[in-house]
Amino acid sequence: MEKKAAPIVVHDIHLLRVEMVQQKLDVIAFKKQKQHHLRVGHKLAHNLKDERIKLELVFSFENSQKESLLFFQIDFHFHIDKLFNFYHFKAENHPVFSGHFIATLLGISFSTARGIILEKLSNASIPNIILPVVSPQEIIKVNG
């Protein structure tokens, strides 16, 4: 039976680590292109016992042939106090997390990634590439 999700208390969310797992910068090819298409993906991993969540975000700036010119994989490691409030079990003891909870973590992670990517690209002589403001609920719908 699905339980009602508890309200999210920001003091219960602890961003422990941000890890740049992969990065690819083809600065010359990126600058040659007039248009770039941004693709975003995410993956969630969890450790229920330790109340840990890892949210992996992948950003790929592609040309019209869908070749990746800029690529970033950033992992966000969270500890969530009372994590049990944000999931219920489905068949085969598989946890299903509250959409509102996941959207909150996506919002935190995406906004943090926006600053990281802006800084990395500025340092690589590609200024003012700013990730768009997005609805985390829409990311869940597209990738879910």
Side-chain angles (χ1 to χ4, degrees), residues 13 15 76 78 103-113:
I13 300 173
L15 181 56
F76 297 86
F78 293 92
T104 299
L105 297 183
L106 271 169
I108 293 166
S109 301
F110 197 96
S111 294
T112 304

Side-chain angles (χ1 to χ4, degrees), residues 26-76:
D26 190 342
V27 175
I28 295 169
F30 184 83
K31 286 183 173 183
K32 286 182 182 177
Q33 296 294 311
K34 292 189 192 285
Q35 280 194 311
H36 311 100
H37 305 281
L38 173 64
R39 295 175 60 101
V40 179
H42 74 277
K43 185 168 39 171
L44 186 77
H46 57 79
N47 179 324
L48 300 180
K49 180 182 173 209
D50 292 339
E51 297 184 312
R52 302 278 179 131
I53 297 283
K54 180 178 86 170
L55 183 60
E56 174 186 306
L57 286 179
V58 174
F59 301 89
S60 182
F61 293 83
E62 300 175 347
N63 62 18
S64 56
Q65 292 79 37
K66 297 190 178 185
E67 297 168 326
S68 181
L69 305 173
L70 306 174
F71 179 88
F72 300 93
Q73 177 189 339
I74 308 172
D75 288 354
F76 297 86

